[in-house]
Amino acid sequence: VPGNLIQPPMQLPFGSGEIWAFTGGPHGGWDAGSAWAALDFAPLGEALGCVVSEAWVTAVADGLILRAHNGAVVQDLDGDGYEQTGWTVLYMHIESRGRVRAGAYLHAGERIGHASCEGGLSNGTHLHLARRFNGEWIPADGSVPFILDGWLSSGTGVEYDGYLTRNGVTVEAFDGNNPINQIQR
């Protein structure tokens, strides 16, 4: 990873004006042992667990959809069609109903699919969002900050524990729906 690497502009993964819950601070991008490259967000709702959601996950940036199956959607931000080069974004736990198809080109804010529990282990409907550069997971609280609509991610050194901060406002990751973890785009 180059020392001068800067993340391209990205926005929060849901619609403008919507409120979601920030449910997971920096944690493994893919399975145990990978870099803490991921953040979790969940649509607001009263039901707990794996429930059907009508809320849409949206693209954080412009790019080509390379893969879309088994709960995972991978978006290539440099458009070369390879996951091993440039920036890619992983959207995990995307329900098959309404999920974007591989080969589509999406602009930031366009629909990816619905948050769910599909693909991998999950104890509740949510979106697992992670980024890579040249095939390497980029830590969400490392030297290349994970920034979404100006919200800067930080961690505490404890997996899933973390914050998003913008303009002096801090939102704390919390596993559930609580005023301390609600974030709006």
Side-chain angles (χ1 to χ4, degrees), residues 26 36-37 39 131 138-146 153-158 161:
W36 287 5
L39 302 174
R131 64 203 175 131
I138 304 299
D141 62 348
S143 60
V144 182
F146 204 153
S153 172
S154 62
T156 65
V158 176
D161 194 15

Side-chain angles (χ1 to χ4, degrees), residues 21-25 40 42 48-49 122-126 160-161 172-178 180-181:
F22 174 45
T23 57
D40 288 348
L48 299 177
S122 177
N123 62 2
T125 296
H126 74 287
Y160 291 97
D161 194 15
E172 184 176 356
F174 177 78
D175 188 16
N177 178 13
N178 186 297
I180 67 168
N181 73 338

